[in-house]
Amino acid sequence: DTAVSQTPKYLVTQMGNDKSIKCEQNLGHDTMYWYKQDSKKFLKIMFSYNNKELIINETVPNRFSPKSPDKAHLNLHINSLELGDSAVYFCASSQLSGGVSAFFGQGTRLTVV
Amino acid sequence: ELKVEQNPLFLSMQEGKNYTIYCNYSTTSDRLYWYRQDPGKSLESLFVLLSNGAVKQEGRLMASLDTKARLSTLHITAAVHDLSATYFCAVSSNTGNQFYFGTGTSLTVIP
């Protein structure tokens, strides 16, 4: 039983394509996140959703569009992929005000060629 | 924006030795988390520290939090090779709606 699962694990695609990454959590958490980890391992938050509502939208190109159909799912759609989008994308979930650690998915390694 | 700094960024240590990783953060928060990441893997939660003076220990790792100094430490005792990984600290905003991560400390334990 994976707590936070994201698919696919690997994604190789050409510049200009559109792709999606899916994320689901079965922990009953009310908050989900997308993080980007670059080649130097820096982790930067991209989006934060609480009960399907967007609450954090960091400086991210509008080619990135998150969608939360319900509080257990947070998908990430990326349009017109660029070389600089290559990174590992992590989905995570936590409980907003419970001092609960964030649980992370396995990551999606995106390579744009 | 809340800033979180770790040092050192890279740490190479011999088995059996002790060392401390430091995590400083820029604004008031009393929620501090430590994570471990193995190469090519996800982040695994190690410790959750929720108050000033909190101390947690698991095996050879001990984490502490000083909210007045805005400092957390991760102390490694008698390191073993299995502890080789990247360690991240993270601070959550007071509203809890995001986690700010430190730069990470890449630890290599040499036999």
Side-chain angles (χ1 to χ4, degrees):
Chain A
D1 261 5
T2 305
V4 182
S5 60
Q6 49 181 117
T7 54
K9 188 173 181 181
Y10 300 98
L11 189 50
V12 181
T13 187
Q14 288 187 319
M15 281 177 57
N17 283 351
D18 303 339
K19 290 292 177 186
S20 292
I21 307 171
K22 295 186 175 181
C23 179
E24 175 182 4
Q25 56 97 2
N26 63 7
L27 297 167
H29 288 161
D30 60 6
T31 304
M32 296 185 72
Y33 314 84
W34 277 108
Y35 280 85
K36 179 180 180 179
Q37 186 172 44
D38 64 21
S39 58
K40 295 183 179 177
K41 297 189 181 177
F42 294 142
L43 275 158
K44 185 166 172 56
I45 190 162
M46 301 172 70
F47 302 103
S48 173
Y49 268 73
N50 175 252
N51 285 320
K52 305 191 304 175
E53 299 295 323
L54 178 67
I55 53 175
I56 293 287
N57 180 359
E58 290 293 316
T59 308
V60 175
N62 58 14
R63 298 182 294 104
F64 290 80
S65 52
K67 294 244 176 358
S68 182
D70 55 62
K71 73 175 193 177
H73 295 83
L74 181 61
N75 304 322
L76 183 65
H77 188 76
I78 316 169
N79 289 329
S80 304
L81 277 154
E82 300 177 357
L83 293 176
D85 297 333
S86 296
V88 180
Y89 293 83
F90 284 100
C91 175
S93 75
S94 75
Q95 198 63 19
L96 186 60
S97 57
V100 173
S101 186
F103 286 77
F104 281 76
Q106 64 182 359
T108 296
R109 182 173 293 276
L110 171 65
T111 303
V112 182
V113 298
Chain B
E1 180 182 316
L2 193 157
K3 292 194 186 306
V4 185
E5 294 182 346
Q6 284 180 240
N7 70 82
L9 294 183
F10 298 94
L11 175 56
S12 181
M13 57 190 297
Q14 285 189 311
E15 277 191 333
K17 298 293 186 183
N18 305 333
Y19 207 83
T20 300
I21 299 170
Y22 297 88
C23 174
N24 289 92
Y25 53 97
S26 62
T27 64
T28 303
S29 176
D30 55 5
R31 302 181 183 184
L32 194 293
Y33 310 83
W34 283 95
Y35 289 85
R36 169 182 172 143
Q37 185 179 34
D38 291 299
K41 302 290 186 182
S42 184
L43 283 87
E44 173 194 354
S45 177
L46 293 175
F47 299 109
V48 179
L49 303 167
L50 298 177
S51 61
N52 186 39
V55 177
K56 296 271 182 81
Q57 181 164 5
E58 179 76 31
R60 300 173 189 275
L61 300 177
M62 184 173 72
S64 66
L65 177 61
D66 181 345
T67 59
K68 292 179 182 177
R70 299 176 187 169
L71 171 69
S72 180
T73 60
L74 181 66
H75 187 72
I76 303 155
T77 302
V80 293
H81 180 69
D82 284 353
L83 290 179
S84 297
T86 299
Y87 293 85
F88 291 93
C89 64
V91 177
S92 72
S93 58
N94 286 334
T95 54
N97 59 14
Q98 63 172 306
F99 292 77
Y100 296 88
F101 279 83
T103 46
T105 296
S106 179
L107 170 65
T108 304
V109 180
I110 304 166

